[in-house]
Amino acid sequence: PGYDSQAVDKKPTLPTSSSSPMITFRFKNGCVAQFRASGTEPKFKYYIELRGQPGESRDEVNKRLNTMVTVILEELLHPSENGLITPSCL
């Protein structure tokens, strides 16, 4: 079970299990966001990454990534409406 927005059949390309389905969204700017439930704990985990462009500084990439993280978490998860705790690093 799972979802990958870039796959033709929308099936995940990464390994999944019935206890921990994975949802992957791939954005035009190269950002990839993956969401899954923990298989062993009552947690919801996410991984968001963004590859920099040639010549782009690490600071510029981090700034773009932080913007994407904020938008993705707010728009997809609606933490305040769903009783979720936003990580303190945001």
Side-chain angles (χ1 to χ4, degrees):
Y3 174 84
D4 188 327
S5 67
Q6 194 173 42
V8 175
D9 61 1
K10 304 301 182 204
K11 292 184 179 180
T13 55
L14 296 172
T16 62
S17 70
S18 59
S19 66
S20 184
M22 184 180 305
I23 298 171
T24 303
F25 293 103
R26 299 172 194 269
F27 298 88
K28 288 182 181 180
N29 68 351
C31 185
V32 178
Q34 298 173 322
F35 300 90
R36 69 175 181 87
S38 171
T40 58
E41 302 172 282
K43 287 184 179 180
F44 184 72
K45 297 184 177 190
Y46 67 89
Y47 309 89
I48 301 175
E49 57 188 53
L50 177 66
R51 182 177 20 194
Q53 300 299 315
E56 187 176 24
S57 73
R58 181 180 293 267
D59 287 342
E60 292 170 323
V61 175
N62 282 334
K63 187 175 181 179
R64 287 192 311 121
L65 176 60
N66 289 337
T67 298
M68 288 297 295
V69 168
T70 300
V71 170
I72 290 168
L73 295 182
E74 286 297 322
E75 294 298 319
L76 290 178
L77 302 180
H78 301 280
S80 58
E81 296 172 25
N82 292 307
L84 302 173
I85 299 169
T86 303
S88 59
C89 62
L90 297 179

